[in-house]
Amino acid sequence: MVTITPLHIWFRLLRHHLRLLAPSSAIWIIGLVAVAMLVSSAYETTMPTEADRQALAISVEGNPAFEAMFGRAISLDTIEGFTMWRAGGPLIPAIVIWGVLVGTRLGRGEEDRGHDELLLGGILSRAALLLSALAALGILAVIYAAATTLGLPLVSAIGLEGSLRFALAMAGGFLTFTALGTLLAQIMPTRSAALRAGLGVVGITLALRMLSVLEAAPDWLPWLTPFGWYAETGTAQIGSNLPFLLFALTTLAFAVGAVMLCRERELHGSRLVTEQESATATRSYRSLWAHQVRQDGPSILGFGAVGVLLSLIFGMVADEFVDFIEGFPAFAEILAAFGLEDPTDPAAYVGLIVTVLVLIPALFAASVVAALRDDEATGRLTVLLVLPIRRVKWLLVNAVVAIAGITLISLVIGFSAMAGTGITGTMLAPLDALRAGLNLIPMAVMFTGMGILVFGLYPPLTGPAVYTVLLASFIVVMMDAFLDIPDWIVSLSPFDHLALVPGEPANLTASAAFLLIGLGSGIIGSIAFRYRDLMMD
Amino acid sequence: MAENNEVLRFDNVTKRFGETIALDSLSMTLERGEVVGLLGPNGAGKTTALRILLGLIKPTEGQATVYGFDTWLQPVQVHQRLAYVPSEFNVWPNLTGGQILDLLGALYGGYDPDIREQYIERFNFDPNKKGRTYSKGNRQKIALIAALMTRADLLVMDEPTAGLDPLLEQEFQTVLREAKSRGQTILLSSHVLSEVEVACDRVAILRNGRLVEYGTLQDLRHLSARTVEATYRGDPPDFADVTGVEDVVFENGHVRLQVTGSTDPLIKAMAKSEITGIQVREPTLEELFHSYYGEEPVDG
């Protein structure tokens, strides 16, 4: 008789968790490593002389606007510092979003879909299950770090030590938010709620990173968030090793917290629910519209709040940005790559930051379409669709509430940017704020439509496809300012076609194309959904 | 719209998932006011049949209709006449049980709040808790109450008592009888054979996607073997070559056997011996079920 020990079973579970993550993680790791390799390899071609490098360091280090966007810059006259700032600046938010996605998936997603109950029927405890998930996530971090460490020296002059430092700092951010994701998964009632809470934390910590570059910000502020820790790692020469310890301790604390909470929590239960709270909910939702507003409302408020915070902060550094640019006119060339023709115009700056913040309504749109699949996989959709409700109507209600949410979030971003600039003295006209906000809507609507298309054709891919396309398109444009990415690749990204309103006139052709693609995809997706089988997990 | 009493019809319905045939040329009908039990082991095609009936998946071949409406092409018209109880109900975690009932009732097109309250009381359900706090049994109560309070003409139930305690299972039986007496038609897929035996007028048995038997319990019993037990003195009766007799077991003056069809040849064979006692028992549904599936375990 073959004896199978609990340890054997645990390793089988670990393999199972790795298998679950493998397809999407492969795409994420390849994408993250490739972008970092591209940036690192471009260092010597874009800044061939020492003078160029010095100029870059002098121009960017200490510039609040650029540091607000990509984090604190250290040693930009070295390839290590350049890679940390230019590659890691946009990649660190991406890798932590990935961390939250996978952390909440293994921490709660499998449980929500009823898969964990089967696994827990054996001799393994819930803590063992969560430990296996955490181990699998740790292995992902190791694979990512190894690929980055070995990959960068192949294409650039960066040494192994510098490459390893960058990889560990990125992996540290990933692990911290992964562990946070598993912790939130124990606290929140569903994976969807945990994911949204995790994305909210990402937004707030990003805002704190931005605040920390303001002149008035206290010195300790960068040390308050993992984004700050990432920047403080700097290079081996000018940088601190303390962040690595902080990453490790925070990850450990979150992981231990998650394991402790999961042992106390009932399956499908939540730490947030009390009997008292339960008894207060008396309002009835008697229409599909009211129901959908109830489901998406908290998310709209959350994404809106993050949008307000970030656009306020960005707005508040507008004057410093303009003053800085006036002192360094040569920098205008780099900014032109972002489409900023006259960087001394505050309206153009607001256009730039609001355009970057389009990521918020777009992420909201992605979260809404990912929730469509969640409803289908868990069987909640079945309960609705056996009522006299047309499938297309259900989808339409979801889309309309999503678009209303996108509109609200976009407008508050525009007006908050106006308020932010107003605080520091440069008042933007309300009409300009309105235009800036309206300019964001078509692209997020397009992502909603594309999500519905995937949902209609192949529902299991809905979330992964939309999040991946969204973040990849964003990163391509962010990188294009410093890299010679082929134009045709950049032009595939919708972010490339977004006008910097109010700094320049709206690109009505692009906006119309976004809306048409969104509408067309949405219609095709709806028809496909009407005529396909419902697929539960 | 069907003008006769026919409520639902599967007309040569086949469903394939890739190479797998989940349902194979299913044809059956339900009449108004009937309670029909759908039986079969896992993978027999019960859930596929129900999902086709609900318009959630499309038949690869054939057609399913409810009150004359095509379930795939006219799902809304179908859903106006039926209510469904799933085997597992994943509720919205942020809504209370009461809110979920209100929502489902309103989306159905209306319900009587008094009836809702009656069922809440009868099933001993607390509607003031958030969805995420309910146990499986309580989530199942929501599904049951939501379906029953609509007074839909057709109730489609997929293992409706999964997770309910025995007392509530008994209450469920009463509720089924009441629904039947109101003229509601019920299609009940269940693994609880005693439940089906008590409640159902007809039973459909599926195996490997095919309908292997469909009829009243009386019909099925007539077609199936009855158990005969007898005691005798002296030489044991000789059942060799007796038509319809099988599985004969002798033990200390006692014989146990199965007989199919007419009992006349058996009685004539017994008359040749000194029989001191005899008992003929019709098969229970469980025995019938086993006779169709041989050694396959009854899942549940």
Side-chain angles (χ1 to χ4, degrees):
Chain A
M1 185 176 159
V2 179
T3 307
I4 302 177
T5 65
L7 198 62
H8 277 107
I9 296 173
W10 189 83
F11 276 111
R12 292 289 290 271
L13 194 58
L14 179 59
R15 271 172 52 195
H16 167 69
H17 280 142
L18 284 170
R19 202 176 294 135
L20 283 178
L21 297 175
S24 61
S25 298
I27 295 170
W28 274 95
I29 291 174
I30 290 169
L32 289 165
V33 175
V35 170
M37 285 169 74
L38 273 171
V39 175
S40 194
S41 67
Y43 178 68
E44 294 199 6
T45 50
T46 52
M47 272 154 295
T49 67
E50 190 57 35
D52 292 332
R53 296 166 191 179
Q54 289 292 339
L56 177 73
I58 293 167
S59 306
V60 173
E61 289 177 28
N63 177 335
F66 283 102
E67 292 195 337
M69 203 170 295
F70 297 123
R72 193 180 157 209
I74 295 174
S75 289
L76 285 191
D77 54 346
T78 65
I79 188 168
E80 290 84 4
F82 179 78
T83 305
M84 283 293 292
W85 181 73
R86 196 60 200 92
L91 287 185
I92 185 76
I95 202 172
V96 303
I97 288 174
W98 175 40
V100 174
L101 282 168
V102 289
T104 52
R105 172 160 183 209
L106 288 195
R108 193 61 186 258
E110 291 298 293
E111 177 180 327
D112 284 357
R113 294 184 176 189
H115 299 167
D116 279 0
E117 281 171 51
L118 290 173
L119 299 173
L120 290 169
I123 59 170
L124 288 180
S125 66
R126 290 180 55 201
L129 197 68
L130 190 58
L131 283 171
S132 161
L134 287 164
L137 296 166
I139 289 171
L140 284 190
V142 170
I143 293 171
Y144 163 78
T148 303
T149 305
L150 298 175
L152 293 187
L154 293 179
V155 295
S156 72
I158 196 169
L160 259 183
E161 188 189 352
S163 178
L164 177 65
R165 194 175 184 84
F166 168 70
L168 288 180
M170 290 283 288
F174 170 76
L175 280 173
T176 304
F177 278 86
T178 297
L180 175 72
T182 58
L183 178 67
L184 289 171
Q186 310 312 311
I187 297 169
M188 306 303 285
T190 60
R191 191 251 173 152
S192 184
L195 176 60
R196 288 170 185 185
L199 291 177
V201 175
V202 172
I204 290 165
T205 45
L206 261 177
L208 287 173
R209 179 182 87 174
M210 292 169 186
L211 274 176
S212 70
V213 303
L214 295 177
E215 270 183 25
D219 290 344
W220 49 262
L221 196 56
W223 292 94
L224 214 59
T225 74
F227 290 112
W229 305 342
Y230 169 82
E232 294 300 327
T233 55
T235 63
Q237 287 72 35
I238 308 174
S240 168
N241 289 330
L242 181 61
F244 295 113
L245 182 66
L246 291 173
F247 278 133
L249 289 177
T250 313
T251 301
L252 189 68
F254 286 158
V256 169
V259 172
M260 287 172 67
L261 288 182
C262 98
R263 290 169 63 162
E264 291 174 24
R265 180 175 65 83
E266 289 177 354
L267 209 62
H268 304 294
S270 162
R271 300 289 300 177
L272 286 186
V273 181
T274 63
E275 292 296 314
Q276 198 175 13
E277 179 208 9
S278 301
T280 59
T282 53
R283 175 181 286 188
S284 287
Y285 303 95
R286 291 169 182 268
S287 75
L288 211 48
W289 293 99
H291 173 62
Q292 205 50 49
V293 169
R294 172 72 180 86
Q295 296 308 309
D296 288 343
S299 183
I300 294 171
L301 291 177
F303 277 92
V306 170
V308 167
L309 197 62
L310 295 185
S311 47
L312 264 177
I313 295 166
F314 269 132
M316 285 162 66
V317 298
D319 276 359
E320 293 179 55
F321 175 81
V322 171
D323 292 345
F324 189 88
I325 290 303
E326 282 171 349
F328 292 91
F331 213 71
E333 195 181 323
I334 295 171
L335 296 174
F338 286 100
L340 209 59
E341 298 301 337
D342 179 10
T344 57
D345 176 10
Y349 170 74
V350 169
L352 177 69
I353 57 162
V354 169
T355 308
V356 170
L357 294 179
V358 72
L359 204 55
I360 296 171
L363 275 171
F364 165 74
S367 78
V368 169
V369 290
L372 298 179
R373 171 59 192 155
D374 223 32
D375 275 352
E376 182 181 8
T378 54
R380 284 194 289 268
L381 183 55
T382 299
V383 176
L384 287 180
L385 293 186
V386 296
L387 297 166
I389 297 168
R390 292 180 198 283
R391 288 189 185 195
V392 173
K393 182 186 175 183
W394 172 79
L395 209 47
L396 183 72
V397 169
N398 271 274
V400 169
V401 174
I403 291 169
I406 287 167
T407 306
L408 198 67
I409 294 166
S410 301
L411 291 179
V412 296
I413 286 175
F415 282 102
S416 303
M418 179 188 88
T421 54
I423 290 170
T424 52
T426 312
M427 198 59 195
L428 201 67
L431 190 61
D432 282 345
L434 179 67
R435 285 172 53 224
L438 289 175
N439 188 47
L440 307 184
I441 297 170
M443 198 174 85
V445 169
M446 184 186 71
F447 279 108
T448 310
M450 288 167 66
I452 290 172
L453 178 67
V454 183
F455 176 69
L457 294 175
Y458 190 65
L461 269 188
T462 310
V466 177
Y467 279 115
T468 304
V469 170
L470 171 58
L471 293 174
S473 334
F474 182 71
I475 288 170
V476 163
V477 169
M478 286 290 108
M479 291 300 165
D480 185 46
F482 282 83
L483 298 176
D484 286 331
I485 297 176
D487 285 349
W488 68 270
I489 293 181
V490 179
S491 66
L492 286 176
S493 167
F495 291 90
D496 186 49
H497 304 283
L498 207 58
L500 306 181
V501 178
E504 61 181 30
N507 183 348
L508 293 178
T509 310
S511 296
F514 290 154
L515 290 175
L516 278 176
I517 294 171
L519 188 67
S521 310
I523 289 172
I524 295 170
S526 303
I527 293 168
F529 173 59
R530 167 60 187 92
Y531 291 105
R532 74 161 167 82
D533 290 351
L534 233 55
M535 295 184 209
M536 285 175 67
D537 257 4
Chain B
M1 184 88 183
E3 289 180 6
N4 54 24
N5 273 337
E6 183 181 292
V7 172
L8 74 83
R9 167 180 288 272
F10 285 99
D11 195 0
N12 222 19
V13 172
T14 295
K15 178 67 182 177
R16 293 192 196 91
F17 295 106
E19 296 293 306
T20 309
I21 300 176
L23 208 57
D24 191 357
S25 306
L26 173 66
S27 292
M28 64 182 272
T29 57
L30 250 77
E31 301 288 317
R32 184 175 178 276
E34 268 193 311
V35 181
V36 171
L38 195 56
L39 298 176
N42 287 341
K46 302 186 302 293
T47 300
T48 303
L50 293 187
R51 288 174 75 75
I52 286 174
L53 186 67
L54 296 165
L56 300 173
I57 58 176
K58 184 185 180 184
T60 313
E61 288 164 24
Q63 186 192 35
T65 57
V66 171
Y67 292 104
F69 295 110
D70 186 295
T71 59
W72 180 249
L73 298 174
Q74 299 162 293
V76 172
Q77 288 88 333
V78 169
H79 297 159
Q80 282 166 344
R81 305 290 298 272
L82 67 78
Y84 171 59
V85 181
S87 58
E88 188 156 342
F89 184 22
N90 273 313
V91 298
W92 290 271
N94 57 343
L95 301 186
T96 65
Q99 286 173 327
I100 294 168
L101 288 173
D102 283 348
L103 174 72
L104 296 179
L107 293 181
Y108 179 78
Y111 64 94
D112 184 339
D114 291 340
I115 295 175
R116 186 190 95 139
E117 291 311 311
Q118 281 173 26
Y119 283 120
I120 283 177
E121 203 169 314
R122 289 176 69 175
F123 284 111
N124 192 24
F125 175 66
D126 179 357
N128 296 315
K129 290 183 175 176
K130 283 272 170 93
R132 62 178 76 99
T133 65
Y134 287 122
S135 65
K136 179 176 167 60
N138 275 316
R139 293 201 302 271
Q140 203 59 21
K141 289 179 192 175
I142 300 177
L144 276 169
I145 295 168
L148 291 165
M149 73 186 188
T150 60
R151 293 284 192 255
D153 296 327
L154 169 64
L155 293 170
V156 179
M157 301 180 164
D158 188 1
E159 296 174 47
T161 54
L164 294 188
D165 63 48
L167 287 175
L168 288 173
E169 277 184 34
Q170 212 165 23
E171 185 64 31
F172 173 73
Q173 293 288 346
T174 310
V175 163
L176 274 191
R177 279 195 294 275
E178 291 169 0
K180 181 177 160 57
S181 68
R182 279 193 298 270
Q184 288 176 283
T185 309
I186 301 167
L187 179 58
L188 171 69
S189 166
S190 176
H191 285 135
V192 185
L193 299 177
S194 57
E195 180 176 282
V196 173
E197 192 161 25
V198 170
C200 294
D201 305 315
R202 288 202 283 173
V203 175
I205 300 181
L206 288 171
R207 181 178 189 177
N208 294 331
R210 297 188 73 92
L211 183 67
V212 292
E213 207 57 71
Y214 186 33
T216 63
L217 276 171
Q218 201 175 1
D219 290 342
L220 298 187
R221 282 175 177 140
H222 181 70
L223 290 171
S224 297
R226 278 152 289 174
T227 304
V228 177
E229 294 187 62
T231 49
Y232 58 88
R233 271 197 207 107
D235 292 333
D238 180 11
F239 297 119
D241 302 326
V242 178
T243 310
V245 172
E246 55 190 6
D247 296 340
V248 183
V249 179
F250 291 102
E251 193 177 341
N252 300 330
H254 176 265
V255 62
R256 187 170 188 272
L257 57 83
Q258 305 286 316
V259 60
T260 312
S262 169
T263 50
D264 188 50
L266 171 70
I267 290 168
K268 284 176 178 160
M270 282 188 163
K272 294 174 186 169
S273 301
E274 189 183 346
I275 301 296
T276 55
I278 186 167
Q279 189 180 22
V280 181
R281 186 170 57 79
E282 293 204 313
T284 63
L285 183 57
E286 185 156 348
E287 284 165 334
L288 277 176
F289 191 84
H290 281 293
S291 75
Y292 282 104
Y293 295 103
E295 294 306 308
E296 285 184 34
V298 180
D299 46 47

